[in-house]
Amino acid sequence: MRDIFVLAEHRKGEIRDITFEMLSKGWELAEQAGGTLTAVLLGHNVDEHASKLAEYAKKVLVVDNPLLENFNAELYQQALAHIIKEHKPTLLMMGHTGFGMDLAPALAVQLGLPLATDCIDLCLDGGRLLVTRQMYGGKVNVEAAVRVAETYLVTVRSASFEAKEGVSAGGEIVHVDVPIQEVDYKRFVQYVEPPKGEVDITAADIIVSVGRGIREEKNLPLIEELAKALGGVVACSRPIVDKGWLPKDRQVGSSGKTVRPKLYIAIGISGAFQHVLGMKDSEMIIAINKDPKAPIFSVADYGVVDDLFKVVPELTKKIQEAKGG
Amino acid sequence: MDIIVCVKHVPDTTEAEVVIREDQRGIKTEDLPYVINEWDEYAIEEAILMKERLGGTVVAVTVGPEEAEATLRRCLAKGADWAMRIWDEGLEEADGFAIAKVLHAAIKDMKYDLILTGTQAGDDGYAVVGVALAELLGIPHAALVKKIELKDGSAVVHRELEGGLEEVVEVRLPAVFTIQTGINEPRYVSIMGIKRARKKELRVVSLSDLGLTVDEVLQSSWLTIKRMYVPPPKKQAVIIQGSPADVAAQIVEILKSKGLM
């Protein structure tokens, strides 16, 4: 058994949660199989990050280079290709994130290694890697075998593994010098922060959230009236923002806002994991959806399996009556 | 601006119940409507918008069985100039990398300034094809693209990261961009468009035309599906039953009991 490598993901001076989630899983895999858990840290002036990662991994490989200050898939790919060829780990875990999705497939093709993307579980069985991932928007789980190889590459879905506290691993920090050539065909320009909207949904106690099931923009008042009756705000899942029916600052999910209201009512939202990431910690969740197998029902406290166009107007009416009476 | 757009014909399961086949290696698709992959719909729109502004050609390419021609016809009706469908029996088993290899063989000798495809497909969700294709072609790429500004010989693109943050990168052309939903407003297909599409070329290509065999393509796959199952719920919601009025009354009681009203 050789080592388990985890690519540390950091951005704007912070190590991202996915890193600790992968390190937790990596620790478990290394314990089972007898390898060493190694965090790979690419960046510039990242000593603090290295010390932090050393609490979670037996070894931290650091490549400190000004060219790596901001994520750039091409430069990361160069550095990682070099590291993999040199160390031949059993497994390299990366995040299935905006960074990992830009990086991992190209790295795999370059090295001729197999890649399993968006994994929610991993199992090393002898020399083989079995992964669990989802298809059809989270409605199906798939167990898949990865083509046998010396090194396996995986990208891991956010929040698939619990990030455990540091185990005081006392990891050894090793600086390595990797040749990286600046490229003229891809250049980082800047980060752009999301625009601040007029409503801050993260501050609301009650959120009425709408998804694809609403079908048409002209049906949105149904949702607005319910939100108004409850004294809450309207939020939504991604398709509603993509269609331009509500502004981006109303979007709940991994590419939008993370909310923790007292009450979250999900209407016509199937519950793809990207959405669930943004609302699963709400105190109470009620879901209305006509598909009884919609994943939203496995995060909701209460569910209604019915046509939202019948249920929502009734609910609004009953709430208005109760409040009026 | 010559643009190739790689599209996929997928079952639409967003509002349908998914039933797993007896062999547990796929789902039952007979009763499902098929559509253009949602991400690809934005990719073809982006290509046509560029063509309308700058001239050039748009070619839609898919790897899929005859039924997938419905998706290519849709692209042609929206304004693509011609289309290509690549298929051989056995490719149902191909994963994202295997598909990228097929596309690479088909595209490598074509003329293009830009290749667009969806960031991922709504069925298998690999998010592999576009970036792997770029690496096979030896050209740069950017994934999760939400905005493209063309400059002379390059493009400034906004990539979507988590939490609404965007990363701006400048990429030299030719390049592959994988398109994220919401980048534009896909147009509807017009009757005129459908008529015009009938006269446009839809080329059908087999693997042997590309110098490939099904076996070598499948052997390059990274993943082999062993088993599919419905995810066991982490918890299961208490289902409130009854007529809409009954349901509404019960929810009101729950909200009252929790002090939410």
Side-chain angles (χ1 to χ4, degrees), chain B residues 60-194:
Chain B
V61 181
T62 197
V63 180
E66 198 173 345
E67 296 79 49
E69 289 185 8
T71 277
L72 291 180
R73 294 267 172 227
R74 186 178 174 85
C75 295
L76 293 172
K78 284 172 175 243
D81 294 277
W82 62 277
M84 174 164 41
R85 179 174 72 83
I86 309 158
W87 191 244
D88 259 295
E89 289 303 320
L91 284 179
E92 305 84 1
E93 305 271 323
D95 74 351
F97 177 56
I99 297 295
K101 283 196 82 159
V102 173
L103 288 170
H104 168 251
I107 287 172
K108 65 184 194 319
D109 298 322
M110 288 168 66
K111 188 169 151 290
Y112 58 85
D113 302 299
L114 189 59
I115 299 172
L116 302 181
T117 189
T119 285
Q120 61 188 33
D123 54 358
D124 54 37
Y126 288 126
V128 157
V129 171
V131 178
L133 175 63
E135 186 71 19
L136 289 169
L137 288 166
I139 59 175
H141 71 268
L144 290 149
V145 170
K146 289 231 49 182
K147 188 175 173 188
I148 303 174
E149 290 170 65
L150 292 171
K151 293 169 72 176
D152 194 21
S154 73
V156 175
V157 301
H158 289 228
R159 298 203 319 110
E160 180 184 283
L161 305 179
E162 292 73 25
L165 189 71
E166 291 180 1
E167 178 195 87
V168 185
V169 284
E170 183 167 355
V171 184
R172 192 166 72 198
L173 303 183
V176 178
F177 298 146
T178 78
I179 302 298
Q180 182 56 293
T181 55
I183 187 173
N184 52 39
E185 283 181 47
R187 70 195 64 198
Y188 291 100
V189 174
S190 69
I191 303 285
M192 279 301 290
I194 292 170

Side-chain angles (χ1 to χ4, degrees), chain B residues 1-3 46-58 79 81 111 113-114 150:
Chain B
M1 198 74 180
D2 293 325
I3 308 171
E46 197 64 16
I48 292 166
L49 288 172
M50 285 181 195
K51 179 189 141 178
E52 286 169 347
R53 221 168 53 241
L54 304 163
T57 59
V58 172
D81 294 277
K111 188 169 151 290
D113 302 299
L114 189 59
L150 292 171

Side-chain angles (χ1 to χ4, degrees), chain A residues 98 102 117 133 136 139 141 143 145 147 185-187 189-190 192 212 238 242 254-255 297-299 301 303, chain B residues 13 16 123 126 141 143 159-160 162-164 166 168 170 172 181 220 222 224 226-227 229 237-238 240:
Chain A
D102 205 36
T117 55
R133 54 191 309 286
Y136 304 104
K139 292 187 178 185
N141 274 12
E143 284 174 6
R147 195 180 79 209
Y185 50 82
K186 190 169 185 182
R187 185 176 67 85
V189 179
Q190 62 173 344
V192 178
R212 210 187 284 270
R238 176 173 197 125
D242 283 347
S254 55
S255 58
F297 291 121
S298 68
V299 286
D301 300 290
Chain B
T13 56
D123 54 358
Y126 288 126
H141 71 268
R159 298 203 319 110
E160 180 184 283
E162 292 73 25
E166 291 180 1
V168 185
E170 183 167 355
R172 192 166 72 198
T181 55
S220 67
W222 289 337
T224 308
K226 293 292 181 195
R227 184 170 80 96
Y229 57 97
V238 175
I240 304 168

Side-chain angles (χ1 to χ4, degrees), chain A residues 87-103:
Chain A
H87 295 269
K88 299 184 169 51
T90 298
L91 175 68
L92 169 65
M93 297 163 79
M94 295 165 273
H96 193 73
T97 58
F99 285 171
M101 291 165 79
D102 205 36
L103 164 69

Side-chain angles (χ1 to χ4, degrees), chain A residues 1-2 32-33 90 123-130 148-149 152:
Chain A
M1 173 72 187
R2 286 158 290 122
Q32 283 164 6
T90 298
C123 168
L124 278 166
D125 178 15
R128 295 191 66 95
L129 175 66
L130 294 170
V148 174
Y152 297 108

Side-chain angles (χ1 to χ4, degrees), chain A residues 29-297:
Chain A
L29 291 172
E31 292 261 282
Q32 283 164 6
T36 303
L37 176 63
T38 301
V40 179
L41 176 61
L42 312 179
H44 185 48
N45 294 330
V46 284
D47 289 350
E48 256 181 61
H49 289 348
S51 311
K52 177 86 179 159
L53 293 169
E55 296 170 25
Y56 295 80
K58 293 276 191 197
K59 196 168 164 186
V60 184
L61 278 183
V62 186
V63 182
D64 189 320
N65 186 318
L67 290 173
L68 297 172
E69 180 160 15
N70 291 299
F71 174 83
N72 179 318
E74 313 287 334
L75 304 178
Y76 264 56
Q77 188 181 330
Q78 286 183 32
L80 286 171
H82 190 89
I83 287 170
I84 289 170
K85 283 182 197 158
E86 177 100 12
H87 295 269
K88 299 184 169 51
T90 298
L91 175 68
L92 169 65
M93 297 163 79
M94 295 165 273
H96 193 73
T97 58
F99 285 171
M101 291 165 79
D102 205 36
L103 164 69
L107 179 66
V109 172
Q110 182 196 341
L111 295 174
L113 295 172
L115 163 70
T117 55
D118 199 16
C119 297
I120 59 170
D121 205 1
L122 315 171
C123 168
L124 278 166
D125 178 15
R128 295 191 66 95
L129 175 66
L130 294 170
V131 300
T132 306
R133 54 191 309 286
Q134 294 197 315
M135 285 173 66
Y136 304 104
K139 292 187 178 185
V140 173
N141 274 12
V142 178
E143 284 174 6
V146 185
R147 195 180 79 209
V148 174
E150 188 167 40
T151 298
Y152 297 108
L153 307 181
V154 299
T155 64
V156 172
R157 176 181 289 189
S158 291
S160 297
F161 306 113
E162 198 185 336
K164 302 201 178 76
E165 289 295 309
V167 285
S168 305
E172 175 195 5
I173 297 172
V174 182
H175 284 262
V176 288
D177 199 16
V178 170
I180 300 167
Q181 280 199 313
E182 200 165 4
V183 296
D184 59 357
Y185 50 82
K186 190 169 185 182
R187 185 176 67 85
F188 173 84
V189 179
Q190 62 173 344
Y191 289 119
V192 178
E193 296 287 343
K196 293 238 182 327
E198 51 196 70
V199 175
D200 180 8
I201 58 170
T202 65
D205 281 340
I206 295 178
I207 293 178
V208 180
S209 197
V210 57
R212 210 187 284 270
I214 197 72
R215 295 185 184 281
E216 290 184 69
E217 188 175 13
K218 68 176 171 57
N219 298 327
L220 279 180
L222 272 182
I223 307 301
E224 284 156 6
E225 281 157 29
L226 176 58
K228 194 172 157 218
L230 280 166
V233 302
V234 174
C236 63
S237 62
R238 176 173 197 125
I240 304 299
V241 173
D242 283 347
K243 289 177 201 293
W245 296 349
L246 284 173
K248 177 84 185 166
D249 57 293
R250 301 288 183 121
Q251 185 186 329
V252 172
S254 55
S255 58
K257 301 258 172 79
T258 300
V259 296
R260 294 177 187 81
K262 292 188 173 133
L263 172 63
Y264 190 90
I265 305 185
I267 301 173
I269 292 175
S270 68
F273 89 96
Q274 292 94 337
H275 183 75
V276 169
L277 277 181
M279 48 65 83
K280 64 180 166 45
D281 297 327
S282 304
E283 284 177 35
M284 181 159 79
I285 299 168
I286 300 177
I288 302 172
N289 198 296
K290 64 179 185 186
D291 175 7
K293 292 198 178 152
I296 194 74
F297 291 121

